[in-house]
Amino acid sequence: MIEETSPQNIDRRIQMAVEAFRFLKNTTIHERAEFMNAVADQIEALGEELLTAAHSETSLPLARLTGEKARTTGQWRSYAKAVAAGIYTEARIDLPQPEKQKGDIRKYNVGIGPVVIFGASNFPFAFSTAGGDTASAIGAGCPVIIKAHPAHPQTSQIMADAIATVVSAFGWPEGIFSHITGTSYEIGAYLTQHPDIRAIAFTGSFNGGKALFDIASRRENPVPVFAEMGSINPVFAFQQLLETKAETLAKEYSTSLTLGVGQFCTNPGVLIALRGKPLDRFINTLKDEIQKIAPANMLHKGIFENFEKNKNIALKQPDVEIIASGHTEAEGIVGNASVIKTNAETFLNNPVLSEEVFGPFGIVVVCETEEELMEIARQLKGQLTITIAATNEDVRDNSTLINVLKDKCGRLLFNGMPTGVEVVYGMQHGGPFPSTTDSRFTSVGPDAVKRFVRPISFQNWPDEFLPKELKNENPLQINRMVDGTMNSESLKLQTT
Amino acid sequence: MIEETSPQNIDRRIQMAVEAFRFLKNTTIHERAEFMNAVADQIEALGEELLTAAHSETSLPLARLTGEKARTTGQWRSYAKAVAAGIYTEARIDLPQPEKQKGDIRKYNVGIGPVVIFGASNFPFAFSTAGGDTASAIGAGCPVIIKAHPAHPQTSQIMADAIATVVSAFGWPEGIFSHITGTSYEIGAYLTQHPDIRAIAFTGSFNGGKALFDIASRRENPVPVFAEMGSINPVFAFQQLLETKAETLAKEYSTSLTLGVGQFCTNPGVLIALRGKPLDRFINTLKDEIQKIAPANMLHKGIFENFEKNKNIALKQPDVEIIASGHTEAEGIVGNASVIKTNAETFLNNPVLSEEVFGPFGIVVVCETEEELMEIARQLKGQLTITIAATNEDVRDNSTLINVLKDKCGRLLFNGMPTGVEVVYGMQHGGPFPSTTDSRFTSVGPDAVKRFVRPISFQNWPDEFLPKELKNENPLQINRMVDGTMNSESLKLQTT
C-alpha cells in the first residue's frame, strides 16, 4: 500500500526546499560535486536489498539491474565532474572599458530553484528517484522534490534514504531532497502547480508529460517542463544496405525491438523501406528472429495492459498484416513481441499507426516509391532518434531525405540501433515535440544540468561581495570568458 | 496607412522561410558571420533618410537615434564574431571507447527553425526590425519573420530593405527574411499559431507578451516564447549610502527615471528606503531635479495615453502623495515626470503600485523597519534588474536581504542606475517571470543567440557525412569538447 503524502506535508517539504535553496545556491561547484560523488558511493554500497526490491517490483532481470545501478552511479560521478569543472557555470566577465562600456559586468549561472522530478517506471535506478534528473538538478544547485513512481515504491524509498543519508552526513539542510509518494493524478498536479516550484522534469507517456506541461504553462508564474515522452524512433532502411545486409539488419532490429521487453523510449517502433526482394529477405529473417525471443514479464500490470490494448488497436486497423509474433502461449503480464506490416499510404493516412506502442511492437512500412519515403519523412512528428540503415552510397543517394530527417530528431544514427543511450557529453536525448516538450535540452549526459540553471549578472560589484565564480582571483580555477576570451587565470586588478 | 499583410501572403512567406531554413542551417558559422557583418555595413551606410524617418515616427532625438544606430551595427558585428568563434555551436565529440562506450557520438547546435520576431516601439533600431533578436536568430541559423511595430512603419521598411539587399547580394533564398506589417491583434496571433514557426521573440508590454506565450504554449506543437515584458526595477537605498550621498543618488535617480522620457524597460520605477533625515534629503533633492527635466514627446500617442492613464490610477490610490513633478504646462504627447511617495504597508497591500507605469514615473516607498524592507523583497515579483544603492558596510549589514533579492532579478547592480544595457557577454537582460517568460535566456549580448538553437547528435556517422563542425579535421577550427576536454585540434583518426 502506497502512502499518499498529504498536501500539508507537501507544502512543508516545498517550504523546506525553498529554504534549502538559499543554502544550496551558495555552495561552490566543488562542494556540490563532492556531495554528488558521495551519493554515488552511497548507492554503490547498497547491497542485495536494493537489487532484490527492484527485481521484485519491476520484473527486470538482476543482470540488467546490476548494469543499471552502475550506470546510475556513473551518472552521479560524471555529472559531478562536469559540475566541478564549471562547465555549467558559464562565467563571463566584461571589464570596464572607459571608451566603450560603462560598467564592470559579470555573469554566471545559478540554480533556478526547487525542482519537482517524476520518477520513470522503466529505469527504476537511472531515471527514477536517484536518477539523472536528480543528479543534474542538484548539480545545478536546485533542491529536488521527487514524486516516486508508484510501480517501485520500495526501490524508491531505498534510494531516497541513501540520498537523505548523504544530506545528513554533509550537515546540509534536509530540504535539499524530499520524497513524495502517492498514486493519484492530483498529487502530481498539486506539485506542478505549486508557486514555489521552478521547474519540472518527467519521463513517461505523452499524456502524462503533456498534462504537466499544460498545468505548468497555465500557472500564474509559468515554469519550464522537461518532459521526455517517447517516440516511435523510425529506422529508414535503404536499398544497398538491404541488398547486402538484410539478414543482419533483421537480427539487429529484432534484438533492439525486444530488448528489455521493448520498454525503452528509444525502442525502434517502425522501419521504413522500399518494396523489393531485399525487404522480403529482411521480413523473413525478422519473423524467425522474433519467434526466438524468450518471453518475459513487463514492468507492471498497467504497462502490460496498455501494451496489449494499444497493440490490439494497431492490429485491428485496415490494411495491416502480422508478419512476426513471439510465443503466444505466454501468460501473466508477459509482453509478447509482434511486428506488423503495412503500406505507406495506410501509414500516412492512419494516425493510429504513428502512435507509440510501449513494448515489443514494430511496424514495417513498405513504400512503393521514393516519393512515399519522402512523404513519410515530411509528415513525421518529432522523434528522440532516427536511424539511417544505409551504405555510404545510400547516404549519397538520399541526401535530401536525410536533410529533412535531421529536423525531426534529437539523435541521428548511421546504422546500429537507437536503444542504449550513452551517458556522454555528445548525447542528445531529447527531440522536437512531441518526443519531448523542449528540444533545446537533453535529459541524458552531463549537459542535462543545463536545464536547471539561469544566468544572473552582477554590475559594478566590489570583489569582496562577488560569488567565488566571478571573483578576480578565480579561486575555483574555472574557465571563464574574460572580455570575450576563455581562460582560467586570475585577474590582476586593483580590487575596490 | 499601414498595409495589413494578408494571411495568404503570411503563409507564403512562412513557406519560403521553411525552405530557406534548409539552406540556412547548412551554412557555416563563418558564412553566417560574413552575412551579419554585411548587414551591419548596409545599416551603417543608411544615411539621413533613416534618421529622419525614425525621428519623425518616434520623436526620439537625432543624437539618441545616431547612438542607437551605432549600437545596432555593433550588435550585428559582436554577435557575428561570437557566431564565427563557434561559441553557440557547442560541439561535443565522444570517441568510441571499446570498454566503456559503444558508439562515436558527436553533438552540435543547429537553428531551431523559422522565428517570428515582434519589433519593439522604444528602440526603433536596436530592438526592432534589424535589432538584436533578428541578429541572434540569423546567427543561430534561423530564418526571421518580422512583425513590424506599427509605430514606426517607414523606419521598419528601410531596415527591412537593407537586410533584403544583403540577402540578395549574397544570393541567399529570399525567405531568410520576411517583413510582415499590420496593426491588428489577429496578425500577431496568426503568426504565433502557425505550425511551421519554431520560436517567438517579443519586447513590449506584459499583456502583449503573455498573450503570445499563452497562444504558443497552447499550440498543438508548443514552441518557446522569449517575451521581455519589462519591470519596475527596484532600487534599494541603504542607510550609510543615503547619509553620505543622498543628493548624488537623487540626481542619478532623477536622470535615470526620466532618460528617454522614461521609456526604457530598465527604468527604475521604485526606490525603497528606511524613513529618516537622509531619505528626506534624497526626496528634497529629487523634487528639485525632477522639476529641472525638460519636457519631451513620448514615442507615440498610445504610449502617452497609457502613461497618463496608469500614472493617474497610481496617483488616485489611497495613502500616496506627490513629491515631485515636472513641467505641468506641457501639451501634446509630452510625458510629464512625476514621483510619488507611499509607505511600505500601502505598497505591500496595493498591487496597483507594483505595476509598471511605462514612462517617467517613480514611487518612493518609505519603510518604518528593516522587516518591512525584507517583506518587500520577499513579495517582489521577478525583475529585469534590482539596484543596491549602498556602501560596502551597508552590503555587509544587509546580506540576507540581498541574498533574497538575487532570486528576483536577472541583473543586480551595486550603485549606478539600471538604464543603459551594455551589449556584452556578461549582460543578462531577462529576469524571472513576469519580467520575462523565460529567465534562462538573455535578449541582449551575444548569448541572445542561444535562444534559437537546439542540439542534434550524430552517432557512428562516417566523417564524410558529418557537418563541418564535427568532422575529424575540424575545418572550421572551432573549440570543441573532445572526450570531455576543450580544444580546437584536428582529430587524428582513421576516417571510415
Side-chain angles (χ1 to χ4, degrees):
Chain A
M1 196 52 211
I2 294 170
E3 194 197 339
E4 197 89 358
T5 308
S6 68
Q8 292 73 24
N9 272 339
I10 293 178
D11 286 349
R12 190 177 61 87
R13 293 305 308 198
I14 294 178
Q15 186 50 42
M16 288 168 70
V18 168
E19 283 154 26
F21 177 52
R22 302 213 188 287
F23 170 85
L24 198 59
K25 71 174 177 168
N26 288 318
T27 55
T28 67
I29 48 180
H30 300 133
E31 288 164 340
R32 292 201 297 282
E34 203 186 329
F35 177 90
M36 295 163 77
N37 284 322
V39 171
D41 294 345
Q42 190 72 22
I43 294 171
E44 199 158 66
L46 292 172
E48 284 303 301
E49 189 203 7
L50 176 75
L51 294 174
T52 309
H55 177 60
S56 115
E57 290 183 324
T58 65
S59 300
L60 292 172
L62 287 170
R64 144 76 193 266
L65 288 169
T66 304
E68 189 181 327
K69 185 181 163 196
R71 175 189 171 144
T72 305
T73 53
Q75 285 177 168
W76 282 92
R77 290 194 178 112
S78 68
Y79 298 9
K81 193 174 169 191
V83 165
I87 292 170
Y88 307 111
T89 303
E90 290 190 287
R92 315 268 206 217
I93 298 176
D94 288 283
L95 298 171
Q97 297 175 330
E99 290 303 304
K100 293 169 71 181
Q101 176 195 327
K102 285 165 282 191
D104 175 307
I105 305 179
R106 304 178 183 214
K107 179 169 78 173
Y108 83 130
N109 287 337
V110 291
I112 198 167
V115 175
V116 165
I117 293 168
F118 289 82
S121 69
N122 62 338
F123 281 89
F125 304 154
F127 282 84
S128 193
T129 306
D133 286 341
T134 303
S136 46
I138 288 178
C142 300
V144 167
I145 292 112
I146 277 283
K147 166 59 180 65
H149 198 287
H152 50 259
Q154 203 190 334
T155 308
S156 186
Q157 189 64 55
I158 295 170
M159 285 298 200
D161 291 344
I163 297 174
T165 300
V166 179
V167 172
S168 169
F170 271 63
W172 285 11
E174 193 189 330
I176 281 168
F177 180 82
S178 295
H179 189 234
I180 305 296
T181 59
T183 54
S184 69
Y185 168 81
E186 285 71 22
I187 206 166
Y190 189 85
L191 286 163
T192 306
Q193 263 158 350
H194 199 289
D196 287 329
I197 295 304
R198 289 285 174 265
I200 318 286
F202 169 91
T203 305
S205 69
F206 176 78
N207 290 339
K210 184 59 164 53
L212 296 178
F213 176 85
D214 288 343
I215 292 171
S217 60
R218 288 166 199 203
R219 284 169 46 147
E220 197 184 318
N221 59 340
V223 293
V225 172
F226 306 99
E228 193 267 83
M229 306 180 290
S231 60
I232 55 174
N233 303 294
V235 178
F236 283 78
F238 291 101
Q239 280 314 95
Q240 278 206 7
L241 188 285
L242 280 172
E243 274 165 29
T244 51
K245 293 189 177 165
E247 291 75 16
T248 312
L249 182 66
K251 285 174 189 170
E252 286 177 5
Y253 183 72
S254 171
T255 302
S256 180
L257 189 72
T258 59
L259 191 71
V261 205
Q263 299 165 121
F264 291 112
C265 25
T266 53
N267 193 47
V270 58
L271 184 140
I272 301 140
L274 280 174
R275 175 188 299 284
K277 290 231 170 87
L279 182 59
D280 293 341
R281 283 166 41 216
F282 169 86
I283 289 173
N284 285 337
T285 307
L286 183 60
K287 186 172 179 166
D288 296 343
E289 291 297 317
I290 291 285
Q291 281 168 351
K292 286 184 207 162
I293 302 300
N297 277 349
M298 298 192 79
L299 287 158
H300 58 82
K301 197 152 168 274
I303 280 194
F304 167 73
E305 286 171 354
N306 269 326
F307 171 64
E308 285 294 317
K309 187 184 82 181
N310 294 329
K311 182 176 74 173
N312 286 320
I313 290 173
L315 291 173
K316 279 181 196 143
Q317 300 305 304
D319 298 317
V320 310
E321 179 189 332
I322 291 201
I323 54 174
S325 69
H327 296 257
T328 48
E329 72 275 23
E331 280 183 14
I333 61 166
V334 168
N336 197 18
S338 299
V339 181
I340 64 173
K341 185 172 88 168
T342 192
N343 59 62
E345 203 189 328
T346 301
F347 183 76
L348 284 166
N349 293 316
N350 186 345
V352 168
L353 299 172
S354 292
E355 297 292 321
E356 182 181 16
V357 176
F358 193 74
F361 178 78
I363 305 181
V364 175
V365 181
V366 184
C367 297
E368 299 297 327
T369 62
E370 292 188 348
E371 287 67 37
E372 284 186 344
L373 274 173
M374 179 57 100
E375 194 51 33
I376 289 175
R378 283 216 185 88
Q379 291 196 21
L380 210 54
K381 290 181 185 177
Q383 305 288 334
L384 289 171
T385 73
I386 293 176
T387 301
I388 307 297
T391 64
N392 288 11
E393 194 63 30
D394 283 328
V395 173
R396 279 177 216 116
D397 291 347
N398 293 280
S399 61
T400 308
L401 178 68
I402 292 169
N403 204 15
V404 171
L405 293 174
K406 284 178 187 170
D407 289 343
K408 307 283 184 156
C409 65
R411 177 163 56 114
L412 192 71
L413 291 96
F414 179 73
N415 298 312
M417 283 291 146
T419 43
V421 183
E422 303 294 330
V423 185
V424 292
Y425 285 103
M427 178 53 63
Q428 174 60 18
H429 191 64
F433 190 90
S435 65
T436 65
T437 46
D438 195 336
S439 67
R440 294 170 302 155
F441 296 91
T442 182
S443 60
V444 175
D447 284 351
V449 176
K450 284 187 193 177
R451 296 174 294 173
F452 304 116
V453 295
R454 73 172 181 96
I456 178 169
S457 286
F458 292 83
Q459 186 161 340
N460 294 335
W461 280 84
D463 195 63
E464 142 181 30
F465 303 121
L466 285 169
K468 287 201 177 91
E469 290 82 351
L470 298 176
K471 281 187 191 295
N472 291 332
E473 193 195 350
N474 194 11
L476 303 177
Q477 295 181 285
I478 54 176
N479 252 309
R480 311 189 292 189
M481 185 186 280
V482 181
D483 290 334
T485 303
M486 295 298 296
N487 68 57
S488 56
E489 293 162 20
S490 298
L491 292 176
K492 309 296 180 206
L493 300 172
Q494 198 185 344
T495 60
T496 45
Chain B
M1 198 51 210
I2 294 170
E3 196 196 338
E4 197 89 356
T5 308
S6 69
Q8 294 73 25
N9 272 340
I10 293 178
D11 287 348
R12 189 175 62 85
R13 293 305 307 199
I14 293 179
Q15 187 50 43
M16 288 167 70
V18 168
E19 282 154 27
F21 177 53
R22 302 214 188 287
F23 169 86
L24 198 58
K25 71 174 177 170
N26 288 318
T27 55
T28 67
I29 48 179
H30 300 133
E31 287 165 339
R32 291 202 297 282
E34 202 185 329
F35 177 90
M36 294 163 78
N37 284 323
V39 171
D41 293 346
Q42 190 73 24
I43 293 170
E44 198 158 67
L46 292 171
E48 282 304 301
E49 190 203 5
L50 176 73
L51 294 175
T52 310
H55 176 61
S56 111
E57 289 182 325
T58 65
S59 300
L60 292 171
L62 286 170
R64 144 77 193 265
L65 288 168
T66 303
E68 190 181 327
K69 185 182 162 195
R71 173 187 172 148
T72 304
T73 54
Q75 286 177 168
W76 282 92
R77 291 194 178 112
S78 67
Y79 297 9
K81 194 174 168 193
V83 166
I87 293 171
Y88 307 111
T89 304
E90 288 189 288
R92 315 270 206 215
I93 297 177
D94 288 283
L95 298 172
Q97 296 176 330
E99 291 304 304
K100 293 169 69 181
Q101 176 195 326
K102 284 165 283 194
D104 175 306
I105 305 178
R106 304 180 184 213
K107 179 169 78 172
Y108 82 129
N109 287 336
V110 292
I112 197 166
V115 175
V116 164
I117 292 167
F118 289 81
S121 68
N122 62 338
F123 281 89
F125 305 154
F127 283 83
S128 192
T129 306
D133 287 341
T134 303
S136 47
I138 288 178
C142 300
V144 168
I145 293 111
I146 277 283
K147 164 61 179 64
H149 198 287
H152 51 258
Q154 203 192 334
T155 307
S156 186
Q157 189 64 56
I158 294 170
M159 285 298 199
D161 290 346
I163 298 174
T165 300
V166 179
V167 172
S168 169
F170 271 62
W172 284 11
E174 193 189 330
I176 283 169
F177 181 82
S178 293
H179 190 234
I180 306 295
T181 59
T183 55
S184 70
Y185 168 82
E186 286 71 24
I187 206 165
Y190 189 86
L191 286 162
T192 305
Q193 263 159 350
H194 199 289
D196 288 329
I197 295 303
R198 289 284 174 267
I200 317 287
F202 169 90
T203 305
S205 70
F206 176 79
N207 290 339
K210 184 59 166 50
L212 296 177
F213 176 85
D214 288 342
I215 292 171
S217 59
R218 290 166 198 203
R219 284 169 46 149
E220 197 183 320
N221 60 341
V223 293
V225 172
F226 306 100
E228 193 267 84
M229 306 180 289
S231 59
I232 55 173
N233 303 295
V235 178
F236 283 77
F238 290 100
Q239 280 313 94
Q240 278 206 6
L241 188 284
L242 280 173
E243 274 165 30
T244 52
K245 292 187 177 166
E247 292 74 17
T248 312
L249 182 66
K251 285 176 190 170
E252 285 177 6
Y253 183 72
S254 170
T255 302
S256 180
L257 189 74
T258 58
L259 191 71
V261 204
Q263 298 164 119
F264 291 112
C265 24
T266 53
N267 192 49
V270 58
L271 183 139
I272 300 141
L274 280 176
R275 175 190 298 284
K277 290 233 170 87
L279 183 58
D280 292 341
R281 282 167 41 215
F282 169 86
I283 289 172
N284 285 337
T285 307
L286 183 61
K287 186 172 179 168
D288 295 344
E289 291 299 316
I290 292 285
Q291 282 170 349
K292 286 185 205 160
I293 303 299
N297 277 349
M298 298 192 78
L299 287 158
H300 57 82
K301 196 154 168 275
I303 280 193
F304 168 73
E305 286 170 354
N306 269 325
F307 171 65
E308 286 292 319
K309 187 184 79 182
N310 294 329
K311 182 176 72 172
N312 286 319
I313 289 173
L315 291 174
K316 280 180 197 144
Q317 301 305 306
D319 298 317
V320 309
E321 178 190 334
I322 293 199
I323 55 175
S325 69
H327 295 259
T328 47
E329 71 275 23
E331 280 183 16
I333 60 166
V334 169
N336 197 16
S338 301
V339 180
I340 64 173
K341 184 173 86 168
T342 192
N343 59 64
E345 202 189 328
T346 302
F347 183 76
L348 284 166
N349 293 315
N350 187 346
V352 167
L353 299 173
S354 292
E355 297 292 321
E356 182 181 17
V357 176
F358 193 74
F361 179 77
I363 305 182
V364 175
V365 181
V366 183
C367 296
E368 298 297 327
T369 62
E370 290 188 349
E371 288 66 37
E372 283 186 345
L373 274 173
M374 179 59 99
E375 194 51 34
I376 289 175
R378 283 216 187 88
Q379 291 197 22
L380 210 55
K381 292 182 182 174
Q383 305 288 336
L384 291 171
T385 72
I386 293 177
T387 301
I388 307 297
T391 63
N392 288 13
E393 193 62 31
D394 283 328
V395 173
R396 282 179 214 114
D397 291 346
N398 293 278
S399 60
T400 309
L401 178 70
I402 292 169
N403 204 15
V404 171
L405 293 174
K406 284 178 186 168
D407 288 345
K408 306 283 184 157
C409 67
R411 177 163 54 113
L412 191 72
L413 292 97
F414 179 73
N415 297 313
M417 283 291 144
T419 43
V421 183
E422 302 295 327
V423 185
V424 292
Y425 284 103
M427 178 52 60
Q428 174 61 17
H429 192 63
F433 189 88
S435 65
T436 67
T437 47
D438 195 337
S439 66
R440 294 170 302 156
F441 296 92
T442 182
S443 60
V444 174
D447 284 351
V449 175
K450 285 187 191 176
R451 296 174 294 172
F452 304 116
V453 295
R454 73 173 181 96
I456 178 169
S457 284
F458 293 83
Q459 186 161 340
N460 294 335
W461 280 84
D463 196 65
E464 144 183 28
F465 302 122
L466 284 170
K468 287 200 177 92
E469 289 81 353
L470 297 176
K471 280 185 192 297
N472 292 332
E473 193 196 350
N474 194 10
L476 303 178
Q477 295 181 283
I478 54 176
N479 251 309
R480 310 189 293 189
M481 184 186 280
V482 181
D483 290 334
T485 303
M486 296 297 297
N487 67 55
S488 56
E489 292 163 18
S490 299
L491 292 175
K492 309 297 181 204
L493 301 170
Q494 198 183 346
T495 61
T496 45

